[in-house]
C-alpha cells in the first residue's frame, strides 16, 4: 500500500467507499453505523482542509506578491489572469449552450415526468429561490463592496469571506513591496515561515486523504439513498440525458479546451499536467468544494507542474473564488434545459443574457458545495425563465456538483500554468522534484 502513488490510493479510497456505501444501504444497521461512525471522519477530513485554507491564502499570497518585485509586473500579471479567467468562462458557457442546443435533452422529457419532478422537488427548489432572492435584493455594486472586509480578523474567521482575505493579502503584499527592505524584512520572513509550516500541514492531511475520501463517499451514498424515494430513481433516469449533456460539455473542456490552452502557451505536456494535478481533481470530486481543495491544488501546481510560487499563490486563491468554468457551463446547459422542458423558445438576446449573467454568477459563486445551483436561479430570472424550474434538475445535482468542481479546479490550474509560462516562471519538467509524491 505504501508504494502506491497518491492518486491511486485516493481512487482506491473512493472505490472502496462506493462499494461499502452500496452494500451499507442494503442493511439499515450498517447504514446507521456509516452515518454515526464513518461519516465523522469524512467531516474531519474536510474540516482540516478548510482549516488551513485561510492561513495558507494569507501567507502565500503576501509572500507571493512581495516577491514579485515591482508593481508593474504585478498589474501585468493581474490583468492577464483576469483576462484569461473571463475568456475561459465565456468559452465554457458558450460550449454549454452549444451542447444543449445540439442534444436538446429538455425536449425528450415526457410531460408526466416533468409534472412529477416539479411536485417532488418544489419545496426544495423554493428554499434555493429564497436564498437567491436575498442575493438579488442587494444593489448592483454589492459584490464590489463585499470584497472589502470591514474587519480583517473577522473576515479571516469565515471561509465564505475568502475573497476579502485575498483582498487584504494583496494589499499587504503590495505595501510590503513598497516598504524599505530592512523595515519589512521581519514581516516578510514571518509570513514566509508561516507559509512553509502550513504547506507541511497540507502534506500531513494528504497522507490521510485516501481514508478521508472513503468516508466521504460511503456516507454520501448512504445519504443519497436515504432521501431519494424509489420514484426518484426513475426520475433520475429520465434526467440522464440532461446529465450526460452537462458531462459531455465538461469533458470537451477538459479534453480539448485546457489542453489547447496549455499546449499553445507552455511546453508542459497535457499528460504531465493531468498526472500532476490528478490528486487535486479527485479531491475536488470528493469534497465538491474548490475552497477546501485549494491547499492541495496549490501544493500540486507548484511541486508537480513547476508553477512558480508567486504565480500559484496569486492565481489559485483568486481562481477558487471567481473562476468557475464547470459551474458556468452547468448553468448554461441547465438554463436552456429548463426552458426546453417548459416549452419556451429562447431568443438570441435571452441566450446573451445567459452568457452575461452566468459569467457574473461565476464570480459570485462561492467555492462550496451547491453554490452553483443557487446562482443558477439568478441566471434564470435574468433570462426570463421561471426559477421554479430548478425543481427539474434537483435529482442529479449532487453528482453534477462533484464533476463541475473538478472542472473548476482543473481550469484554475490550467490558468496558473499559462500565466507562469507567459511570465517565464514555469520550471521545466527536469528541474522538478521527481521524488515528490
Ligand atoms: N461546488 C462548486 C465549487 O466549489 C461550486 C458550485 O456549486 O458550482 O467549485
Amino acid at each position: 500500500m505504501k508504494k502506491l502513488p497518491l492518486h491511486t490510493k485516493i481512487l482506491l479510497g473512493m472505490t472502496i467507499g462506493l462499494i461499502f456505501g452500496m452494500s451499507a444501504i442494503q442493511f439499515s444497521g450498517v447504514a446507521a453505523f456509516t452515518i454515526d461512525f464513518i461519516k465523522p471522519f469524512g467531516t474531519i477530513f474536510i474540516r482540516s482542509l478548510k482549516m488551513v485554507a485561510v492561513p495558507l491564502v494569507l501567507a502565500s499570497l503576501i509572500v507571493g506578491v512581495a516577491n514579485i518585485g515591482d508593481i508593474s509586473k504585478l498589474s501585468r500579471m493581474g490583468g492577464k489572469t483576469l483576462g484569461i479567467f473571463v475568456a475561459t468562462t465565456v468559452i465554457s458557457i458558450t460550449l454549454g449552450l452549444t451542447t444543449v442546443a445540439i442534444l436538446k435533452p429538455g425536449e425528450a422529457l415526457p410531460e408526466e415526468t416533468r409534472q412529477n419532478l416539479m411536485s417532488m422537488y418544489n419545496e426544495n427548489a423554493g428554499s434555493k429561490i429564497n436564498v437567491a432572492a436575498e442575493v438579488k435584493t442587494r444593489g448592483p455594486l454589492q459584490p464590489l463592496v463585499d470584497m472589502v472586509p470591514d474587519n480583517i480578523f473577522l473576515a479571516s474567521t469565515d471561509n465564505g469571506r475568502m475573497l476579502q482575505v485575498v483582498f487584504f493579502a494583496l494589499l499587504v503584499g503590495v505595501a510590503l513591496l513598497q516598504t524599505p527592505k530592512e523595515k519589512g524584512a521581519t514581516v516578510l520572513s514571518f509570513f514566509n515561515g508561516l507559509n512553509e509550516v502550513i504547506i507541511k500541514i497540507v502534506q500531513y492531511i494528504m497522507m490521510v486523504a485516501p481514508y478521508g475520501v472513503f468516508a466521504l463517499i460511503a456516507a454520501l451514498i448512504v445519504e443519497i439513498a436515504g432521501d431519494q424515494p424509489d420514484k426518484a430513481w426513475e426520475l433520475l433516469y429520465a434526467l440522464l440525458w440532461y446529465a450526460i449533456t452537462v458531462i459531455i460539455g465538461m469533458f470537451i473542456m477538459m479534453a480539448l479546451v485546457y489542453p489547447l490552452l496549455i499546449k499553445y502557451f507552455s511546453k508542459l505536456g497535457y499528460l504531465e499536467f493531468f498526472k500532476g494535478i490528478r490528486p487535486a481533481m479527485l479531491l475536488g470530486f470528493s469534497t465538491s468544494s474548490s475552497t477546501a481543495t485549494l491547499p492541495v491544488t496549490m501544493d500540486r501546481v507548484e511541486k508537480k507542474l513547476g508553477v512558480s510560487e508567486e504565480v500559484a499563490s496569486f492565481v489559485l486563491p483568486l481562481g477558487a473564488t471567481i473562476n468557475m468554468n464547470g459551474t458556468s457551463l452547468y448553468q448554461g446547459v441547465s438554463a436552456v434545459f429548463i426552458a426546453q422542458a417548459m416549452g419556451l423558445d429562447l431568443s438570441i438576446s435571452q441566450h446573451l443574457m445567459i452568457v452575461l449573467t452566468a459569467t457574473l454568477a461565476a464570480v459570485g459563486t462561492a467555492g462550496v458545495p451547491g453554490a452553483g445551483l443557487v446562482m443558477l436561479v439568478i441566471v434564470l430570472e435574468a433570462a426570463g425563465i421561471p426559477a421554479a424550474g430548478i425543481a427539474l434538475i434537483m435529482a442529479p445535482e449532487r453528482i453534477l456538483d462533484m464533476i463541475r468542481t473538478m472542472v473548476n479546479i482543473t481550469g484554475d490550474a490550467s490558468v496558473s500554468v499559462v500565466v507562469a509560462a507567459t511570465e517565464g516562471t514555469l520550471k521545466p519538467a527536469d528541474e522538478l522534484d521527481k521524488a515528490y509524491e
Side-chain angles (χ1 to χ4, degrees), residues 71-94:
I71 298 284
S72 66
K73 189 171 169 199
L74 176 67
S75 49
R76 191 184 61 223
M77 234 170 75
K80 204 183 281 180
T81 306
L82 292 182
I84 311 177
F85 280 171
V86 173
T88 50
T89 305
V90 172
I91 292 176
S92 65
I93 305 170
T94 315

PDB file of all heavy atoms in Angstrom, residues 71-94:
ATOM      1  N   ILE A  71       5.567  46.731  -8.910  1.00  0.00           N
ATOM      2  CA  ILE A  71       4.128  46.908  -9.095  1.00  0.00           C
ATOM      3  C   ILE A  71       3.697  46.680 -10.549  1.00  0.00           C
ATOM      4  O   ILE A  71       2.654  46.094 -10.806  1.00  0.00           O
ATOM      5  CB  ILE A  71       3.703  48.334  -8.662  1.00  0.00           C
ATOM      6  CG1 ILE A  71       3.995  48.537  -7.188  1.00  0.00           C
ATOM      7  CG2 ILE A  71       2.233  48.597  -8.958  1.00  0.00           C
ATOM      8  CD1 ILE A  71       3.035  47.869  -6.260  1.00  0.00           C
ATOM      9  N   SER A  72       4.543  47.112 -11.498  1.00  0.00           N
ATOM     10  CA  SER A  72       4.102  46.997 -12.888  1.00  0.00           C
ATOM     11  C   SER A  72       3.983  45.525 -13.279  1.00  0.00           C
ATOM     12  O   SER A  72       3.065  45.123 -14.002  1.00  0.00           O
ATOM     13  CB  SER A  72       5.038  47.749 -13.829  1.00  0.00           C
ATOM     14  OG  SER A  72       6.291  47.131 -13.820  1.00  0.00           O
ATOM     15  N   LYS A  73       4.896  44.699 -12.742  1.00  0.00           N
ATOM     16  CA  LYS A  73       4.812  43.271 -13.047  1.00  0.00           C
ATOM     17  C   LYS A  73       3.538  42.683 -12.434  1.00  0.00           C
ATOM     18  O   LYS A  73       2.849  41.862 -13.042  1.00  0.00           O
ATOM     19  CB  LYS A  73       6.040  42.563 -12.471  1.00  0.00           C
ATOM     20  CG  LYS A  73       6.152  41.129 -12.904  1.00  0.00           C
ATOM     21  CD  LYS A  73       7.474  40.530 -12.505  1.00  0.00           C
ATOM     22  CE  LYS A  73       7.458  39.032 -12.713  1.00  0.00           C
ATOM     23  NZ  LYS A  73       8.498  38.360 -11.954  1.00  0.00           N
ATOM     24  N   LEU A  74       3.211  43.149 -11.239  1.00  0.00           N
ATOM     25  CA  LEU A  74       2.015  42.664 -10.556  1.00  0.00           C
ATOM     26  C   LEU A  74       0.758  43.015 -11.343  1.00  0.00           C
ATOM     27  O   LEU A  74      -0.126  42.179 -11.549  1.00  0.00           O
ATOM     28  CB  LEU A  74       1.929  43.264  -9.150  1.00  0.00           C
ATOM     29  CG  LEU A  74       0.676  42.903  -8.363  1.00  0.00           C
ATOM     30  CD1 LEU A  74       0.670  41.424  -8.019  1.00  0.00           C
ATOM     31  CD2 LEU A  74       0.564  43.725  -7.088  1.00  0.00           C
ATOM     32  N   SER A  75       0.694  44.285 -11.828  1.00  0.00           N
ATOM     33  CA  SER A  75      -0.541  44.651 -12.533  1.00  0.00           C
ATOM     34  C   SER A  75      -0.623  43.939 -13.877  1.00  0.00           C
ATOM     35  O   SER A  75      -1.707  43.579 -14.332  1.00  0.00           O
ATOM     36  CB  SER A  75      -0.690  46.173 -12.684  1.00  0.00           C
ATOM     37  OG  SER A  75       0.480  46.713 -13.186  1.00  0.00           O
ATOM     38  N   ARG A  76       0.544  43.661 -14.488  1.00  0.00           N
ATOM     39  CA  ARG A  76       0.510  42.911 -15.747  1.00  0.00           C
ATOM     40  C   ARG A  76      -0.038  41.498 -15.494  1.00  0.00           C
ATOM     41  O   ARG A  76      -0.905  41.003 -16.210  1.00  0.00           O
ATOM     42  CB  ARG A  76       1.936  42.830 -16.310  1.00  0.00           C
ATOM     43  CG  ARG A  76       1.987  42.306 -17.726  1.00  0.00           C
ATOM     44  CD  ARG A  76       3.409  42.150 -18.209  1.00  0.00           C
ATOM     45  NE  ARG A  76       4.157  41.224 -17.408  1.00  0.00           N
ATOM     46  CZ  ARG A  76       5.413  41.434 -16.995  1.00  0.00           C
ATOM     47  NH1 ARG A  76       6.051  42.546 -17.294  1.00  0.00           N
ATOM     48  NH2 ARG A  76       6.034  40.525 -16.286  1.00  0.00           N
ATOM     49  N   MET A  77       0.481  40.874 -14.413  1.00  0.00           N
ATOM     50  CA  MET A  77       0.035  39.521 -14.085  1.00  0.00           C
ATOM     51  C   MET A  77      -1.445  39.500 -13.722  1.00  0.00           C
ATOM     52  O   MET A  77      -2.190  38.586 -14.108  1.00  0.00           O
ATOM     53  CB  MET A  77       0.841  39.009 -12.895  1.00  0.00           C
ATOM     54  CG  MET A  77       1.502  37.702 -13.148  1.00  0.00           C
ATOM     55  SD  MET A  77       2.631  37.341 -11.824  1.00  0.00           S
ATOM     56  CE  MET A  77       1.531  36.864 -10.529  1.00  0.00           C
ATOM     57  N   GLY A  78      -1.878  40.525 -12.995  1.00  0.00           N
ATOM     58  CA  GLY A  78      -3.280  40.616 -12.585  1.00  0.00           C
ATOM     59  C   GLY A  78      -4.191  40.738 -13.792  1.00  0.00           C
ATOM     60  O   GLY A  78      -5.193  40.033 -13.912  1.00  0.00           O
ATOM     61  N   GLY A  79      -3.806  41.616 -14.724  1.00  0.00           N
ATOM     62  CA  GLY A  79      -4.619  41.836 -15.917  1.00  0.00           C
ATOM     63  C   GLY A  79      -4.716  40.568 -16.741  1.00  0.00           C
ATOM     64  O   GLY A  79      -5.794  40.163 -17.198  1.00  0.00           O
ATOM     65  N   LYS A  80      -3.552  39.908 -16.876  1.00  0.00           N
ATOM     66  CA  LYS A  80      -3.512  38.674 -17.663  1.00  0.00           C
ATOM     67  C   LYS A  80      -4.417  37.605 -17.029  1.00  0.00           C
ATOM     68  O   LYS A  80      -5.214  36.968 -17.704  1.00  0.00           O
ATOM     69  CB  LYS A  80      -2.052  38.189 -17.630  1.00  0.00           C
ATOM     70  CG  LYS A  80      -1.666  37.313 -18.759  1.00  0.00           C
ATOM     71  CD  LYS A  80      -0.247  36.847 -18.585  1.00  0.00           C
ATOM     72  CE  LYS A  80       0.800  37.858 -18.979  1.00  0.00           C
ATOM     73  NZ  LYS A  80       2.180  37.368 -18.797  1.00  0.00           N
ATOM     74  N   THR A  81      -4.286  37.456 -15.707  1.00  0.00           N
ATOM     75  CA  THR A  81      -5.067  36.430 -15.000  1.00  0.00           C
ATOM     76  C   THR A  81      -6.562  36.681 -15.183  1.00  0.00           C
ATOM     77  O   THR A  81      -7.316  35.775 -15.558  1.00  0.00           O
ATOM     78  CB  THR A  81      -4.726  36.444 -13.494  1.00  0.00           C
ATOM     79  OG1 THR A  81      -3.314  36.311 -13.368  1.00  0.00           O
ATOM     80  CG2 THR A  81      -5.409  35.327 -12.744  1.00  0.00           C
ATOM     81  N   LEU A  82      -6.989  37.920 -14.925  1.00  0.00           N
ATOM     82  CA  LEU A  82      -8.423  38.204 -15.038  1.00  0.00           C
ATOM     83  C   LEU A  82      -8.901  38.017 -16.478  1.00  0.00           C
ATOM     84  O   LEU A  82      -9.978  37.478 -16.718  1.00  0.00           O
ATOM     85  CB  LEU A  82      -8.727  39.625 -14.551  1.00  0.00           C
ATOM     86  CG  LEU A  82      -8.531  39.821 -13.049  1.00  0.00           C
ATOM     87  CD1 LEU A  82      -8.892  41.248 -12.654  1.00  0.00           C
ATOM     88  CD2 LEU A  82      -9.371  38.841 -12.239  1.00  0.00           C
ATOM     89  N   GLY A  83      -8.062  38.439 -17.437  1.00  0.00           N
ATOM     90  CA  GLY A  83      -8.418  38.289 -18.850  1.00  0.00           C
ATOM     91  C   GLY A  83      -8.651  36.823 -19.210  1.00  0.00           C
ATOM     92  O   GLY A  83      -9.643  36.474 -19.851  1.00  0.00           O
ATOM     93  N   ILE A  84      -7.737  35.948 -18.753  1.00  0.00           N
ATOM     94  CA  ILE A  84      -7.897  34.517 -19.092  1.00  0.00           C
ATOM     95  C   ILE A  84      -9.100  33.926 -18.346  1.00  0.00           C
ATOM     96  O   ILE A  84      -9.825  33.090 -18.876  1.00  0.00           O
ATOM     97  CB  ILE A  84      -6.630  33.695 -18.776  1.00  0.00           C
ATOM     98  CG1 ILE A  84      -5.393  34.381 -19.352  1.00  0.00           C
ATOM     99  CG2 ILE A  84      -6.745  32.284 -19.345  1.00  0.00           C
ATOM    100  CD1 ILE A  84      -4.107  33.681 -19.018  1.00  0.00           C
ATOM    101  N   PHE A  85      -9.324  34.379 -17.123  1.00  0.00           N
ATOM    102  CA  PHE A  85     -10.499  33.910 -16.372  1.00  0.00           C
ATOM    103  C   PHE A  85     -11.776  34.204 -17.165  1.00  0.00           C
ATOM    104  O   PHE A  85     -12.620  33.331 -17.367  1.00  0.00           O
ATOM    105  CB  PHE A  85     -10.613  34.601 -15.009  1.00  0.00           C
ATOM    106  CG  PHE A  85      -9.721  34.025 -13.943  1.00  0.00           C
ATOM    107  CD1 PHE A  85      -9.571  34.663 -12.723  1.00  0.00           C
ATOM    108  CD2 PHE A  85      -9.052  32.826 -14.142  1.00  0.00           C
ATOM    109  CE1 PHE A  85      -8.756  34.139 -11.722  1.00  0.00           C
ATOM    110  CE2 PHE A  85      -8.233  32.292 -13.156  1.00  0.00           C
ATOM    111  CZ  PHE A  85      -8.086  32.958 -11.936  1.00  0.00           C
ATOM    112  N   VAL A  86     -11.905  35.456 -17.609  1.00  0.00           N
ATOM    113  CA  VAL A  86     -13.128  35.842 -18.333  1.00  0.00           C
ATOM    114  C   VAL A  86     -13.225  35.033 -19.638  1.00  0.00           C
ATOM    115  O   VAL A  86     -14.284  34.483 -19.972  1.00  0.00           O
ATOM    116  CB  VAL A  86     -13.144  37.361 -18.633  1.00  0.00           C
ATOM    117  CG1 VAL A  86     -14.321  37.712 -19.535  1.00  0.00           C
ATOM    118  CG2 VAL A  86     -13.215  38.148 -17.334  1.00  0.00           C
ATOM    119  N   ALA A  87     -12.096  34.905 -20.357  1.00  0.00           N
ATOM    120  CA  ALA A  87     -12.122  34.189 -21.638  1.00  0.00           C
ATOM    121  C   ALA A  87     -12.553  32.734 -21.442  1.00  0.00           C
ATOM    122  O   ALA A  87     -13.446  32.241 -22.151  1.00  0.00           O
ATOM    123  CB  ALA A  87     -10.751  34.259 -22.303  1.00  0.00           C
ATOM    124  N   THR A  88     -11.955  32.039 -20.465  1.00  0.00           N
ATOM    125  CA  THR A  88     -12.312  30.616 -20.289  1.00  0.00           C
ATOM    126  C   THR A  88     -13.759  30.478 -19.811  1.00  0.00           C
ATOM    127  O   THR A  88     -14.444  29.518 -20.163  1.00  0.00           O
ATOM    128  CB  THR A  88     -11.369  29.874 -19.310  1.00  0.00           C
ATOM    129  OG1 THR A  88     -11.273  30.638 -18.116  1.00  0.00           O
ATOM    130  CG2 THR A  88     -10.002  29.657 -19.900  1.00  0.00           C
ATOM    131  N   THR A  89     -14.223  31.453 -19.022  1.00  0.00           N
ATOM    132  CA  THR A  89     -15.605  31.382 -18.552  1.00  0.00           C
ATOM    133  C   THR A  89     -16.566  31.512 -19.734  1.00  0.00           C
ATOM    134  O   THR A  89     -17.507  30.713 -19.876  1.00  0.00           O
ATOM    135  CB  THR A  89     -15.899  32.511 -17.531  1.00  0.00           C
ATOM    136  OG1 THR A  89     -14.940  32.431 -16.490  1.00  0.00           O
ATOM    137  CG2 THR A  89     -17.287  32.389 -16.954  1.00  0.00           C
ATOM    138  N   VAL A  90     -16.304  32.498 -20.600  1.00  0.00           N
ATOM    139  CA  VAL A  90     -17.195  32.697 -21.750  1.00  0.00           C
ATOM    140  C   VAL A  90     -17.141  31.462 -22.667  1.00  0.00           C
ATOM    141  O   VAL A  90     -18.174  30.977 -23.143  1.00  0.00           O
ATOM    142  CB  VAL A  90     -16.832  33.996 -22.515  1.00  0.00           C
ATOM    143  CG1 VAL A  90     -17.624  34.108 -23.798  1.00  0.00           C
ATOM    144  CG2 VAL A  90     -17.105  35.207 -21.625  1.00  0.00           C
ATOM    145  N   ILE A  91     -15.932  30.919 -22.860  1.00  0.00           N
ATOM    146  CA  ILE A  91     -15.825  29.700 -23.694  1.00  0.00           C
ATOM    147  C   ILE A  91     -16.662  28.581 -23.087  1.00  0.00           C
ATOM    148  O   ILE A  91     -17.412  27.888 -23.776  1.00  0.00           O
ATOM    149  CB  ILE A  91     -14.348  29.238 -23.808  1.00  0.00           C
ATOM    150  CG1 ILE A  91     -13.545  30.255 -24.613  1.00  0.00           C
ATOM    151  CG2 ILE A  91     -14.253  27.847 -24.444  1.00  0.00           C
ATOM    152  CD1 ILE A  91     -12.063  29.946 -24.709  1.00  0.00           C
ATOM    153  N   SER A  92     -16.565  28.407 -21.764  1.00  0.00           N
ATOM    154  CA  SER A  92     -17.272  27.275 -21.162  1.00  0.00           C
ATOM    155  C   SER A  92     -18.791  27.437 -21.272  1.00  0.00           C
ATOM    156  O   SER A  92     -19.503  26.469 -21.542  1.00  0.00           O
ATOM    157  CB  SER A  92     -16.842  27.053 -19.706  1.00  0.00           C
ATOM    158  OG  SER A  92     -17.213  28.153 -18.929  1.00  0.00           O
ATOM    159  N   ILE A  93     -19.295  28.669 -21.087  1.00  0.00           N
ATOM    160  CA  ILE A  93     -20.751  28.847 -21.194  1.00  0.00           C
ATOM    161  C   ILE A  93     -21.190  28.609 -22.646  1.00  0.00           C
ATOM    162  O   ILE A  93     -22.188  27.915 -22.902  1.00  0.00           O
ATOM    163  CB  ILE A  93     -21.197  30.266 -20.790  1.00  0.00           C
ATOM    164  CG1 ILE A  93     -20.683  30.585 -19.395  1.00  0.00           C
ATOM    165  CG2 ILE A  93     -22.716  30.388 -20.822  1.00  0.00           C
ATOM    166  CD1 ILE A  93     -20.869  32.020 -18.999  1.00  0.00           C
ATOM    167  N   THR A  94     -20.432  29.171 -23.586  1.00  0.00           N
ATOM    168  CA  THR A  94     -20.795  29.010 -24.988  1.00  0.00           C
ATOM    169  C   THR A  94     -20.808  27.527 -25.364  1.00  0.00           C
ATOM    170  O   THR A  94     -21.693  27.043 -26.063  1.00  0.00           O
ATOM    171  CB  THR A  94     -19.784  29.761 -25.878  1.00  0.00           C
ATOM    172  OG1 THR A  94     -19.567  31.041 -25.299  1.00  0.00           O
ATOM    173  CG2 THR A  94     -20.289  29.934 -27.286  1.00  0.00           C
TER     174      THR A  94
END
